[in-house]
Amino acid sequence: MKVSVAGSGYASYVIAACLAEMGNQVCHINLTGKVPLDQLPFHEPGLTAMLSSNEAARRLNFSSDVASSIDGADVLFIALEHSESVDSKAIDLAGLATEYANSDVILVNSSPTSLGVTERMQSVASASSHSHAVVCHPAFLKEGEAIDDFMRPDRIILGAEDYEARNALVAMLKPFSRQQDRIAVMSVRDAELTRLAASAMLASRISLMNEIAAIAEQYGADIENVRRGIGADGRIGYSYLYPGVGYGGVCLPGDLQELAATAERQNISPVLLKAVTERNELQQTWAFNTLKNKFGSLEGKRVAIWGLSFRPDTADVSNSAAIVLIRQLLDAGASVSAYDPMAMKNARVALESLGSNFSDEQVRFCDHQYDALTDADALVLMTEWKPFRQPDFNAIGKLLREQVIIDGRNQYDAESLRQAGFVYCGVGRGTVA
């Protein structure tokens, strides 16, 4: 099939690369202008190599010319980023497709739009003299694991009212679920709500586990043993059952906000959705409160932070708990030494937007993870990047002024560290000792 994919974020590039990998002729339309593959404004493992190989095989090309790229396409994926204007942009693109396409084209909404937007896109497309069906295809792509999510999906959701469009999309996406039929076809409204409901379920699970961790911390229980105990229950399982410093990014927070707003418009009180968000906001203060409980005043203290992105294998710091922690530390008169394999540039931009409280003297971005430890009073792990999994604790102990480790991801063995003389505190792992 001849496919166009419109967008400028990681989702559009991943969809384009994966469809080309399966043999489709794909054109990626960057709506903000053509960008060299080695200068993409995000980090997604393996993506640049896949894009380059498919470009070399002439299955994939890149353009910023919407008109010529849409004309002649069988399918147009609209895969925009989360933004306040995503709804209007998706509708506008549906209008452009009807204007520029000289033949029938299937429009696929893979953008994080509000409920009802796909139907509005269909209304715009129906005004054309050609037959332009609109399908809702939630992408479900986690940053840092997006290629694997698309190539080996748990499920493929298609919201399709048009019979021919449904069959065409099923045929296109069937190679991604050959071992087992994972394609679920439903109405457009069902598909849109499925995307938001999935985010709400995941966020609820994370927040509930973090709330239980807060109870364990005060009660003196170890949440890791509790996690193993409840995860062994087949009705519960272990997925998304790890306590931490809260979820971030743009997808989960944005989807919960949209779902809660939709409920309120329908006179439904989103009690649970609001509680999930409130718990996450509280959880993002856990590291700061733990440091404060240990040291009392943080004035003049230097804190080493490992990990700035909201999750590993991405450079995204949107709603990152690490940024929240740095803001709190600066307000308390502390200074920070930080290291992240990918996200330091974006973290600097985010912190500079805070204003006068940020300076290079107060926040030092380090070239190596161990450089951040020199003369620091504590190490705080905020993101579970692989290089942080098995560090040299002898080196850590020598570099820190005080042997204090605050483990925001419960990566380390509490007992062995305490026996080695460290003050260790994990999320929900009893009292600081």
Side-chain angles (χ1 to χ4, degrees):
M1 276 190 171
K2 187 175 181 181
V3 183
S4 293
V5 182
S8 56
Y10 78 97
S12 65
Y13 281 94
V14 168
I15 292 172
C18 293
L19 290 175
E21 189 78 5
M22 287 299 185
N24 296 284
Q25 293 297 314
V26 181
C27 177
H28 182 275
I29 310 168
N30 192 325
L31 301 173
T32 60
K34 192 173 180 181
V35 178
L37 295 183
D38 60 352
Q39 296 179 26
L40 295 177
F42 52 82
H43 172 71
E44 189 63 43
L47 179 57
T48 300
M50 183 180 281
L51 291 168
S52 299
S53 66
N54 280 284
E55 183 181 32
R58 294 185 292 180
R59 290 187 297 266
L60 177 61
N61 64 85
F62 302 90
S63 176
S64 57
D65 185 345
V66 178
S68 63
S69 301
I70 290 176
D71 186 24
D74 300 305
V75 180
L76 169 63
F77 280 80
I78 299 175
L80 306 176
E81 296 179 277
H82 264 279
S83 71
E84 293 181 358
S85 59
V86 65
D87 291 351
S88 61
K89 288 181 178 178
I91 294 168
D92 288 344
L93 270 174
L96 287 175
T98 64
E99 178 181 349
Y100 295 135
N102 292 319
S103 59
D104 298 350
V105 59
I106 301 170
L107 306 182
V108 182
N109 181 17
S110 291
S111 304
T113 50
S114 304
L115 296 178
V117 168
T118 305
E119 291 178 336
R120 291 166 64 187
M121 293 168 67
Q122 181 65 75
S123 296
V124 171
S126 298
S128 170
S129 58
H130 294 285
S131 176
H132 301 307
V134 182
V135 175
C136 179
H137 171 244
F140 300 117
L141 305 178
K142 300 186 295 294
E143 289 188 54
E145 301 176 37
I147 290 177
D148 191 61
D149 286 341
F150 199 94
M151 297 295 287
R152 288 171 285 275
D154 295 323
R155 74 288 196 206
I156 298 172
I157 304 297
L158 289 176
E161 314 288 351
D162 184 272
Y163 181 78
E164 292 184 0
R166 180 192 69 182
N167 288 347
L169 264 295
V170 167
M172 175 185 287
L173 298 174
K174 194 171 183 178
F176 297 98
S177 62
R178 289 189 66 187
Q179 292 184 349
Q180 180 180 344
D181 185 6
R182 302 178 186 274
I183 301 177
V185 181
M186 57 190 70
S187 73
V188 165
R189 291 189 178 188
D190 293 345
E192 285 186 329
L193 186 55
T194 296
R195 180 181 67 81
L196 295 178
S199 293
M201 291 294 289
L202 294 175
S204 298
R205 192 172 170 97
I206 293 168
S207 285
L208 177 58
M209 197 62 191
N210 282 332
E211 191 151 294
I212 296 172
I215 296 170
E217 200 162 297
Q218 294 302 313
Y219 178 59
D222 189 335
I223 194 62
E224 289 302 302
N225 291 327
V226 176
R227 178 183 63 79
R228 286 190 286 270
I230 62 178
D233 188 326
R235 298 167 300 174
I236 299 172
Y238 290 104
S239 296
Y240 283 80
L241 210 60
Y242 294 86
V245 291
Y247 59 80
V250 292
C251 293
L252 291 189
D255 288 351
L256 257 71
Q257 184 178 15
E258 165 61 19
L259 195 55
T262 299
E264 289 179 330
R265 287 194 296 269
Q266 298 176 348
N267 295 318
I268 300 170
S269 180
V271 177
L272 183 55
L273 294 175
K274 288 184 176 180
V276 169
T277 298
E278 182 180 357
R279 164 46 62 189
N280 193 62
E281 291 171 352
L282 288 172
Q283 198 66 24
Q284 289 192 329
T285 68
W286 174 86
F288 176 78
N289 291 333
T290 303
L291 286 166
K292 194 172 180 181
N293 288 339
K294 170 64 180 71
F295 291 110
S297 173
L298 293 172
E299 182 76 33
K301 297 292 185 181
R302 175 168 289 277
V303 177
I305 297 177
W306 280 0
L308 299 169
S309 57
F310 82 94
R311 61 172 292 152
D313 293 317
T314 177
D316 193 349
V317 298
S318 302
N319 297 302
S320 169
I323 302 301
V324 174
L325 172 60
I326 292 174
R327 292 178 63 181
Q328 292 174 314
L329 288 170
L330 296 183
D331 289 343
S335 58
V336 172
S337 299
Y339 173 79
D340 185 285
M342 288 288 174
M344 290 196 288
K345 180 180 178 180
N346 288 341
R348 173 181 287 277
V349 172
L351 290 167
E352 284 176 345
S353 69
L354 302 178
S356 58
N357 224 15
F358 168 76
S359 68
D360 290 332
E361 291 75 26
Q362 291 297 99
V363 181
R364 187 174 72 217
F365 294 101
C366 301
D367 294 330
H368 191 278
Q369 66 189 73
Y370 291 100
D371 292 343
L373 305 177
T374 303
D375 294 328
D377 297 285
L379 166 63
V380 183
L381 176 68
M382 294 296 287
T383 314
E384 64 276 32
W385 285 89
K386 289 178 182 177
F388 304 151
R389 297 267 180 95
Q390 292 182 309
D392 184 341
F393 289 108
N394 287 328
I396 292 174
K398 292 176 181 177
L399 291 169
L400 290 174
R401 275 200 295 240
E402 298 191 46
Q403 294 186 333
V404 177
I405 295 178
I406 310 298
D407 185 357
R409 298 295 177 177
N410 287 1
Q411 291 281 290
Y412 306 135
D413 185 283
E415 186 59 33
S416 63
L417 285 177
R418 287 167 180 160
Q419 289 182 0
F422 285 91
V423 174
Y424 171 88
C425 188
V427 182
R429 310 204 68 182
T431 56
V432 178

